[in-house]
Amino acid sequence: MDPIVILQAGVASGTVLLFATLGEVLAERSGVLNLGVEGMMLIGAMAAFSTTIATGNPWIGVLAAMIVAGLLSQIHAFIVITLQADQVVSGLALTLVGAGISLVLGEGLSKAGTVSLMPSFSIPLLALIPILGPIFFTNQSVLVYIGYLMTPLAWYYINHTRPGLHLRAVGEYPSAADALGINVFRLRYAYVFVGGMLAGLGGAAISLAVAPGWFSELTTGGQGWIAVGLVIFAQWNPIRAAIGSYAFGALRRLILDIQGPLTLFGFDNPFYYNAYLGFFLQMIPYAFTVIVLVIGSRESIRKRLGAPAALGVPYIRGERGK
Amino acid sequence: MAESSLTKKRTGWRVKLEPRLDEPTGKESLLISLGAVVVALILGGVVIAVVGGNPFASYLHIARAAFGNIGVLSDTIVKATPIILTALACTIAFRMKLWNIGAEGQFIMGAWGASAIVLAPVLAPESPRWMFIPLMALAGMGMGALWGLIPGYLKAKFNVNEIISSLMLNYIAVSWVNYWIFGVWSEGGFQMSPKFPEAASLPRLSDYASTIPFLRGLTTHAGLFFGIAAAVFLWYIVYRSRWGYEIRLIGDNPHAAKYAGVNIVKNTILVMALSGALAGLGGMSEVSGVVRRLQTAPINAGYGFTGIIVAWLAKLNPLAIIVVSILFGALILAGREIQPSGIPKMIQGIILVCLIASDFLLRYRVRVVKNEEE
């Protein structure tokens, strides 16, 4: 129950959520709601693990995960952007397809044994900073460090670059963006693809770094859905997405660690003496997601912030007011 | 007429898309759905072939193992029964564009509620069946309704996205049931409750084999009547009642509904509770009619998710759901023996993808025209 250890492990497991959440932030900023994150993460985790077994190189595994999940996302893109279908049902279908294909192709993969994982290392000098050093910069996977870089880059990209401006325009007011010569359809396809790649990267971060291996659907265990919830909490802002992801990661680790010690705050630890209470601990991340959603939704009503205006609305050229 | 970006240039010919001005006929819409399912089966077959299976053998096996004789047909109906109820649960919510993805959790909580009557115990084991069954059905519907009410209330009061909240409650329901069957109600340390007394079980056809020998070995149970009764009830609600009209109005045009004075907050909560109650009844029917004890694996088998696909395939028509459920019951029943084990799930997903894609044909007419024509 060392808080430093919990936070350190929390940052690692939060990285999974971070990638998936950032990807969904980008897709939703372009106006496309993709509920298929869970399916894309699963197929990413499966592709990363199996490719690494085949090639022995985890980097190729990560690349495969991103490509496969990105390709899967294009099914959703085609259905909702070109065929203008309902984004909610299509996203759900994508989760089912992604899970189904991963189970079929991942059959027998759980007995495959160990693979070489993504490398972990400490950052010189930064690791020496008290408290922050051990939490963020000591013995973390290279993917965790990529997450640190990606968050501010995504924030800067969305808010302070020209392509980021186009992204926001397409998500807020697609017909105006179209009138300015921005290709709404192409940009939406592209950002759904990026979202898929990042979800796949999140899946790869599970199977090659945080919780190595392939455990069929339990590999992700609903983290894709938690990521979709975090986007709302984050109010489509990468910085808030990172804070939420790391907090959730730490929560997951705390739940594991709290069952260890004999006493808690001077009392007998009920979770140690009654193992069945562990089932209530397992509920916490999911219950917490609901609470976080309530907070996020209330806040966005109060501040009149909210989802990109065109989120979930298909863009049809020539229709008025869309 | 609006030209779609789909328009492709071909040598002399091109594909032209025209928005339909009229509603497609029932026959057209049925043909399009069937076409989508056929395409899905072909795509699924391709994946089966890629992983080294024989798609023809797999599909033939599914047909034989699900409809080959009266015994397996009865088993197919057993698998269809919970799907009918979860699909009805999804239908009433989807009609209002409330995306209740939590039928799985509501189903599980319904199974728990019904089991609690036996295991708590609320009724003594010697109680007669006419006391057990109604009370278990009520408890199942009550717990399911509660599990639907939570996301409904959060949606109505705080505008919380019901997709994610109802889905999170699925995971919570699984942990909740695990707590009871691992700990409190565990039978000798096994991860299941003791078997229910005979009076707490829904009667099966085979129970009457002593008088009618033909029924020997047939597992179809009285839960089917719950499914059919619920389908008729829901059909009446949706198409014949004022409440159903309000629900459809909110689903089609929430602004118009608001101006017409329809109470959206109240309806959101009520519809989610009704949706949960239907799924909960499915859970009750499954523990009482099939499993006859509380156990996680058989009740956490994905019936809630299959219900979403069935509801969509049946175009949210409560009576069509009965037919579609039987087809999906067949897929699940026969799919248990097919390797790799993920195939039924994958085919379900592909069917849903093709169905959604095919909706495009309900809104647009595709024609191949000569370029010179215009």
Side-chain angles (χ1 to χ4, degrees):
Chain A
M1 277 287 284
D2 179 1
I4 301 282
V5 172
I6 290 172
L7 290 173
Q8 187 189 15
V11 167
S13 83
T15 300
V16 172
L17 285 171
L18 175 66
F19 289 140
T21 309
L22 282 182
E24 185 66 10
V25 165
L26 287 169
E28 290 193 15
R29 275 291 179 115
S30 81
V32 180
L33 173 71
N34 187 352
L35 295 179
V37 181
E38 178 85 359
M40 298 188 295
M41 281 177 91
L42 264 176
I43 212 165
M46 188 277 301
F49 193 66
S50 58
T51 312
T52 308
I53 288 174
T55 62
N57 185 339
W59 291 95
I60 299 178
V62 168
L63 193 68
M66 294 176 73
I67 292 171
V68 170
L71 289 177
L72 186 71
S73 76
Q74 294 303 289
I75 299 176
H76 179 69
F78 176 72
I79 290 177
V80 303
I81 299 170
T82 303
L83 301 185
Q84 304 152 10
D86 190 284
Q87 301 189 353
V88 172
V89 190
S90 174
L92 270 173
L94 196 72
T95 287
L96 290 171
V97 169
I101 295 178
S102 320
L103 292 182
V104 170
L105 299 179
E107 179 88 356
L109 214 55
S110 49
K111 302 177 209 94
T114 52
V115 296
S116 45
L117 304 177
M118 291 300 278
S120 296
F121 50 87
S122 304
I123 306 275
L125 293 180
L126 287 178
L128 299 175
I129 305 171
I131 302 175
L132 294 183
I135 294 174
F136 289 101
F137 302 111
T138 304
N139 208 17
Q140 293 283 23
S141 167
V142 61
L143 292 175
V144 174
Y145 299 121
I146 291 176
Y148 299 158
L149 297 178
M150 209 179 265
T151 305
L153 278 180
W155 175 83
Y156 185 82
Y157 178 84
I158 292 173
N159 294 305
H160 296 285
T161 68
R162 200 169 178 80
L165 181 67
H166 290 175
L167 164 64
R168 283 181 286 143
V170 164
E172 296 287 348
Y173 204 164
S175 59
D178 197 8
L180 288 173
I182 299 170
N183 190 330
V184 176
F185 301 103
R186 193 193 294 161
L187 273 190
R188 285 190 170 175
Y189 267 98
Y191 284 108
V192 171
F193 188 75
V194 172
M197 290 207 307
L198 286 174
L201 180 59
I206 301 176
S207 66
L208 294 180
V210 175
W214 171 249
F215 312 98
S216 62
E217 282 168 306
L218 296 176
T219 314
T220 51
Q223 289 192 72
W225 292 104
I226 292 181
V228 177
L230 274 177
V231 174
I232 297 171
F233 166 77
Q235 290 164 353
W236 297 268
N237 176 345
I239 308 291
R240 285 185 62 130
I243 296 169
S245 300
Y246 293 140
F248 257 87
L251 185 69
R252 284 168 67 92
R253 176 64 192 219
L254 177 70
I255 288 164
L256 289 178
D257 282 11
I258 207 168
Q259 300 180 65
L262 293 171
T263 56
L264 275 182
F265 311 112
F267 297 98
D268 283 349
N269 181 358
F271 302 111
Y272 179 82
Y273 290 102
N274 183 352
Y276 303 123
L277 290 179
F279 289 116
F280 288 95
L281 293 175
Q282 285 175 11
M283 297 174 188
I284 290 175
Y286 307 111
F288 203 67
T289 306
V290 176
I291 294 167
V292 154
L293 276 178
V294 174
I295 297 169
S297 306
R298 294 193 66 166
E299 200 176 12
S300 61
I301 292 171
R302 192 162 45 82
K303 290 190 187 161
R304 295 177 181 280
L305 287 170
L311 182 61
V313 185
Y315 177 60
I316 305 168
R317 255 198 176 157
E319 264 194 16
R320 276 179 60 203
K322 288 274 174 76
Chain B
M1 201 162 284
E3 283 291 317
S4 165
S5 63
L6 255 189
T7 312
K8 277 181 193 148
K9 281 255 178 329
R10 291 207 183 141
T11 47
W13 298 81
R14 65 196 179 100
V15 178
K16 189 162 180 286
L17 296 168
E18 296 170 350
R20 281 174 189 266
L21 301 173
D22 50 336
E23 283 277 302
T25 61
K27 202 171 150 197
E28 267 180 307
S29 138
L30 183 67
L31 276 177
I32 290 172
S33 293
L34 281 177
V37 173
V38 170
V39 170
L41 291 180
I42 294 172
L43 290 177
V46 169
V47 179
I48 295 174
V50 165
V51 298
N54 180 342
F56 300 104
S58 295
Y59 288 142
L60 200 66
H61 174 83
I62 290 178
R64 246 194 235 130
F67 301 110
N69 60 55
I70 184 83
V72 290
L73 181 64
S74 163
D75 289 347
T76 297
I77 292 174
V78 170
K79 287 284 173 208
T81 303
I83 301 173
I84 294 174
L85 285 158
T86 54
L88 291 172
C90 296
T91 294
I92 188 66
F94 291 1
R95 278 274 171 187
M96 214 177 117
K97 291 241 163 63
L98 275 175
W99 302 111
N100 177 17
I101 310 304
E104 182 81 6
Q106 292 144 16
F107 182 89
I108 293 170
M109 290 311 277
W112 179 86
S115 304
I117 300 292
V118 185
L119 300 168
V122 177
L123 285 181
E126 318 69 71
S127 309
R129 184 174 265 164
W130 65 263
M131 282 173 73
F132 259 121
I133 299 298
L135 205 58
M136 286 170 76
L138 276 179
M141 285 163 66
M143 282 310 294
L146 174 68
W147 229 235
L149 194 81
I150 297 169
Y153 180 82
L154 293 177
K155 166 87 176 178
K157 294 289 177 190
F158 305 115
N159 197 28
V160 169
N161 185 318
E162 77 280 12
I163 302 167
I164 303 163
S165 59
S166 64
L167 200 106
M168 291 295 125
L169 287 170
N170 289 347
Y171 293 97
I172 296 177
V174 173
S175 289
W176 171 253
V177 168
N178 274 338
Y179 168 73
W180 290 89
I181 61 168
F182 277 76
V184 188
W185 294 335
S186 165
E187 187 185 37
F190 288 103
Q191 296 150 18
M192 52 173 85
S193 79
K195 207 149 178 57
F196 293 172
E198 197 57 32
S201 307
L202 285 167
R204 289 175 179 154
L205 285 180
S206 59
D207 295 351
Y208 303 100
S210 51
T211 40
I212 313 168
F214 176 70
L215 298 178
R216 183 168 304 134
L218 297 189
T219 49
T220 302
H221 58 87
L224 180 64
F225 294 116
F226 290 164
I228 293 172
V232 173
F233 166 73
L234 212 60
W235 179 85
Y236 179 81
I237 294 261
V238 170
Y239 293 109
R240 291 286 181 272
S241 76
R242 185 192 154 80
W243 188 35
Y245 175 73
E246 287 187 3
I247 291 171
R248 283 184 290 148
L249 185 61
I250 298 173
D252 292 339
N253 192 341
H255 294 294
K258 216 176 203 169
Y259 286 120
V262 177
N263 188 335
I264 295 183
V265 168
K266 190 185 85 185
N267 275 317
T268 302
I269 297 174
L270 274 181
V271 165
M272 282 299 285
L274 174 61
S275 176
L278 287 165
L281 183 62
M284 176 272 170
S285 141
E286 195 67 5
V287 279
S288 173
V290 180
V291 193
R292 299 193 164 184
R293 55 161 44 120
L294 188 61
Q295 199 181 348
T296 327
I299 57 161
N300 184 20
Y303 294 120
F305 295 107
T306 303
I308 298 169
I309 305 168
V310 169
W312 206 254
L313 186 54
K315 300 264 179 253
L316 307 185
N317 178 333
L319 297 181
I321 278 175
I322 298 174
V323 180
V324 180
S325 295
I326 290 173
L327 294 178
F328 274 73
L331 183 63
I332 291 174
L333 175 75
R336 287 180 310 182
E337 299 148 29
I338 294 182
Q339 291 298 322
S341 54
I343 283 181
K345 183 167 227 163
M346 181 192 73
I347 292 178
Q348 288 185 39
I350 296 177
I351 289 177
L352 188 55
V353 166
C354 292
L355 271 176
I356 304 158
S358 78
D359 281 351
F360 185 74
L361 298 175
L362 298 178
R363 283 178 288 118
Y364 287 87
R365 218 183 279 280
V366 181
R367 288 206 323 203
V368 181
V369 292
K370 258 190 175 158
N371 260 346
E372 301 87 66
E373 272 179 19
E374 285 170 276

